[in-house]
Amino acid sequence: MSVLKLKLDQDALVEDFFEDAWLAGIISQAKDYQLIWQLNKQLGFDFRVNNSLEINLAKNRRSFFFTVYEHQELTKSAGHYFYNNHCKAEFLLPELKHVDYLWLIKGNYYQQPDVKALIEQCRKAELVQMASLLDLRDIRNRINLIF
């Protein structure tokens, strides 16, 4: 009797997840909750921790948990996700070690000029040292962002 093995097509999963998505990198020395409070005020958003989206990575028999904040814009069918990129000297996206936080915007409402305007608003927050749009195609470990 032969055993049927099914294999998950990770490339297709990644492509589907990041369709109509934008990613920004943010540098800030602030704690996540301090930065989120300021961004909520600056952008008029309501980012909140979503424990069900927390990302767990296992490396060298240790577990690392990366907090994810979420804000939904129901009228625009857009979701905003704010990730910590660091946890105990490990990185969610190791190729972006200089980036402290990641902001993923999902949904087809936002186009590049809109995203650039949001990032410009983000830069105005006192605790933000730098914020810039990233090219998702250049990120090797983007599967780590999938919740």
Side-chain angles (χ1 to χ4, degrees):
M1 175 161 80
S2 67
V3 176
L4 177 64
K5 290 186 179 183
L6 298 176
K7 184 179 178 189
L8 180 64
D9 185 352
Q10 287 187 343
D11 292 336
L13 175 69
V14 168
E15 290 305 314
D16 287 347
F17 185 83
F18 290 106
E19 185 177 351
D20 294 325
W22 300 92
L23 185 66
I26 298 172
I27 297 175
S28 174
Q29 298 303 310
K31 299 281 186 192
D32 57 358
Y33 61 89
Q34 294 170 320
L35 182 58
I36 286 296
W37 180 82
Q38 199 171 76
L39 290 177
N40 280 341
K41 279 182 48 179
Q42 184 73 32
L43 301 170
F45 283 4
D46 188 26
F47 276 111
R48 294 179 184 258
V49 171
N50 186 334
N51 291 324
S52 67
L53 298 180
E54 184 176 69
I55 296 176
N56 178 11
L57 289 183
K59 290 186 179 181
N60 301 325
R61 294 193 285 212
R62 292 182 60 199
S63 289
F64 300 95
F65 298 93
F66 297 88
T67 306
V68 179
Y69 290 80
E70 177 183 27
H71 167 69
Q72 292 293 325
E73 287 185 284
L74 300 178
T75 58
K76 297 177 181 176
S77 297
H80 299 263
Y81 304 93
F82 196 85
Y83 302 77
N84 272 308
N85 192 36
H86 300 226
C87 178
K88 300 178 190 168
E90 282 297 328
F91 298 92
L92 187 59
L93 295 180
E95 62 268 34
L96 296 174
K97 291 181 180 180
H98 63 285
V99 172
D100 299 305
Y101 300 101
L102 302 159
W103 178 11
L104 179 70
I105 302 167
K106 287 180 57 74
N108 60 8
Y109 176 83
Y110 286 100
Q111 300 303 311
Q112 189 168 11
D114 306 312
V115 173
K116 286 184 175 184
L118 278 176
I119 292 171
E120 191 59 40
Q121 282 294 106
C122 176
R123 284 185 188 127
K124 293 178 182 176
E126 186 179 321
L127 295 174
V128 173
Q129 293 173 303
M130 199 257 334
S132 67
L133 188 59
L134 303 171
D135 190 338
L136 281 163
R137 295 171 296 194
D138 294 339
I139 299 173
R140 292 184 314 272
N141 294 294
R142 60 187 171 157
I143 195 165
N144 292 354
L145 297 175
I146 298 176
F147 35 78

